[in-house]
Amino acid sequence: MSRLRATALALGCTAAALTLAATTATVAQAAPGDIVSICANQYTPTGWVDIAWANDYSCGGGTFTPNRKTMEQVAGLPIGTTLNVCASAWPPAGWTQVSEFYSQSCRYSAVPSLNHNSWKITRVS
């Protein structure tokens, strides 16, 4: 039985490593407006914004805390572009916050509230 567990663990680790490698390559090669989903224990890269949070067992599940975030590449979008984003990371340089509101998809805490957790941001430079 322990050999079966060891094999399952090895396969799971391999799958996680391949997923991480594929995600990293996608983030590095992304174009403006591209959307990528990564585990929440990774930082949101410069030029990206968080747009949604979810719970995903492949990111170390077993908890009720959202642990996967969906991000959008905003570097290179035209001036005047307006987006709704999660308030879990500051707006990138050149973007300004226009308003704030509550969004169910941006619930990034295990203890949710109805407090504002999202921003409308606009590219100004």
Side-chain angles (χ1 to χ4, degrees):
M1 187 65 152
S2 63
R3 182 179 286 171
L4 179 60
R5 283 186 190 153
T7 302
L9 181 61
L11 289 174
C13 290
T14 302
L18 290 174
T19 301
L20 178 60
T23 300
T24 303
T26 304
V27 168
Q29 299 168 356
D34 281 356
I35 294 174
V36 174
S37 194
I38 65 171
C39 293
N41 62 352
Q42 299 174 41
Y43 287 111
T44 301
T46 301
W48 292 77
V49 293
D50 300 338
I51 59 171
W53 284 78
N55 190 11
D56 185 345
Y57 286 102
S58 69
C59 288
T63 68
F64 293 104
T65 303
N67 59 0
R68 179 172 275 304
K69 57 186 169 182
T70 303
M71 309 176 308
E72 182 173 350
Q73 167 72 284
V74 296
L77 290 176
I79 293 174
T81 301
T82 299
L83 300 170
N84 292 330
V85 302
C86 298
S88 51
W90 290 106
W95 292 78
T96 188
Q97 178 185 342
V98 176
S99 62
E100 58 183 50
F101 57 96
Y102 173 80
S103 171
Q104 177 67 30
S105 65
C106 287
R107 190 179 65 84
Y108 51 88
S109 169
V111 184
S113 71
L114 295 178
N115 293 333
H116 296 162
N117 62 358
S118 302
W119 296 325
K120 179 175 278 194
I121 61 173
T122 298
R123 174 117 192 248
V124 293
S125 63

